[in-house]
Amino acid sequence: MVRICVPVNFSEYSVNAVMYAIALGRKVAAEITLVHCSYPLSDESSDLKSDDEINQEFKNLEQKLRENLPEGNQVQFKTKILVGYPEDVLVELSKNEEPDAIVMGTSSKGETIKELLGSVTSDVLKNAKVPVLAIPKTSSVNVDKRSDILFVTDFTDKDYRSLHKLIRLITPFETLIHVVHFATSAPDQWDKKRLEAMSLYCRETYRRYTMNFEFITGDEFISSLDDYIEANEIDMIAMTRRKRNMISQIFHPSITRKILFHTDVPLLVFHE
């Protein structure tokens, strides 16, 4: 059984993330834990709700979800109310309970203020110890058709491990995995050899799966990525998040963060 954690604040985008997780449950038995983070009482806010009010919202939501569950869905629901800020609570939960994935809704892309000041989703993507799937509020999934997944690689050992985790997660689904490496100019011989080596390894190891291996080139990563996503009708982006030192973080915003705020495609992040 796949264990999925979905933070819920009962907004439209968080409920959409639950629906996305439920759709995945059509193909694999899933236990979905709906987590509501209740802010500490020290935070003075008129919006604070009692546990009874939150539990009633959970009941209403679960009833609505069950009414719309497709036939044959294998989802089991659990609920948790945890006190603390979501970016802290979810990271701690990822360490202590080790779910197979955290699925989070995101409200919109291109929010400059959030890019500068941070967001709950980007903080969880940065610090969680399990794979995190960020779902834009406009995204949905059709598990009855083939999904095209874009896996971004730098050919590191960690990418090989992330690719293995990705294969395990998508086993029940019909997928085409596009394994790509970005280069600002034509790839050199070393990169060509590394892509060829990864291609050979995957074709021998994952014989049941259809995979393409290629380069994305261009002056700027995000615009080149957007072009590739549109041309290949990509349904999900997957990548490994890498740790960087503080100076690097200050002067060079992470690729993960750029993708999170600039695309309407679900983003699956694995961690070193």
Side-chain angles (χ1 to χ4, degrees), residues 87 111-120 122-123 257 261:
E87 56 268 39
E111 297 188 15
T112 304
I113 298 299
K114 282 190 176 182
E115 282 192 75
L116 294 174
L117 301 182
S119 74
V120 171
S122 62
D123 285 345
R257 194 177 185 83
F261 287 110

Side-chain angles (χ1 to χ4, degrees), residues 87-110:
E87 56 268 39
D88 299 326
V89 168
L90 294 170
V91 170
E92 195 65 24
L93 184 147
S94 75
K95 296 176 183 176
N96 296 336
E97 301 191 15
E98 297 183 340
D100 293 293
I102 296 174
V103 177
M104 300 186 67
T106 60
S107 56
S108 62
K109 69 173 183 177

Side-chain angles (χ1 to χ4, degrees), residues 63-85:
Q63 180 179 352
K64 178 182 177 182
L65 294 173
R66 291 198 178 280
E67 288 173 355
N68 292 282
L69 280 177
E71 189 175 341
N73 204 285
Q74 306 176 68
V75 171
Q76 297 179 21
F77 289 108
K78 293 172 62 178
T79 60
K80 285 180 182 290
I81 301 174
L82 300 175
V83 177
Y85 299 104

Side-chain angles (χ1 to χ4, degrees), residues 56-213:
Q56 186 58 53
E57 291 214 50
F58 269 140
K59 288 180 182 178
N60 295 340
L61 174 59
E62 189 171 340
Q63 180 179 352
K64 178 182 177 182
L65 294 173
R66 291 198 178 280
E67 288 173 355
N68 292 282
L69 280 177
E71 189 175 341
N73 204 285
Q74 306 176 68
V75 171
Q76 297 179 21
F77 289 108
K78 293 172 62 178
T79 60
K80 285 180 182 290
I81 301 174
L82 300 175
V83 177
Y85 299 104
E87 56 268 39
D88 299 326
V89 168
L90 294 170
V91 170
E92 195 65 24
L93 184 147
S94 75
K95 296 176 183 176
N96 296 336
E97 301 191 15
E98 297 183 340
D100 293 293
I102 296 174
V103 177
M104 300 186 67
T106 60
S107 56
S108 62
K109 69 173 183 177
E111 297 188 15
T112 304
I113 298 299
K114 282 190 176 182
E115 282 192 75
L116 294 174
L117 301 182
S119 74
V120 171
T121 306
S122 62
D123 285 345
V124 175
L125 282 171
K126 179 180 177 181
N127 297 309
K129 303 304 179 184
V130 300
V132 178
L133 176 59
I135 308 295
K137 66 179 179 181
T138 56
S139 294
S140 60
V141 59
N142 182 356
V143 296
D144 294 323
K145 76 173 189 69
R146 190 192 77 185
S147 294
D148 285 67
I149 299 176
L150 171 61
F151 182 80
V152 182
T153 182
D154 281 332
F155 311 120
T156 66
D157 291 344
K158 297 176 179 64
D159 282 339
Y160 279 82
R161 291 196 287 271
S162 294
L163 192 53
H164 182 69
K165 292 176 184 178
L166 175 63
I167 294 290
R168 288 183 60 193
L169 287 174
I170 57 92
T171 292
F173 307 95
E174 182 186 358
T175 57
L176 169 59
I177 302 176
H178 303 253
V179 180
V180 303
H181 175 76
F182 174 75
T184 54
S185 58
D188 59 28
Q189 290 300 314
W190 174 235
D191 278 344
K192 289 180 180 178
K193 287 182 178 179
R194 293 196 295 173
L195 186 68
E196 183 180 347
M198 179 174 272
S199 172
L200 179 61
Y201 170 83
C202 291
R203 295 188 196 286
E204 292 180 347
T205 307
Y206 309 115
R207 299 187 181 189
R208 292 174 46 204
Y209 298 91
T210 305
M211 306 174 75
N212 291 337
F213 298 81

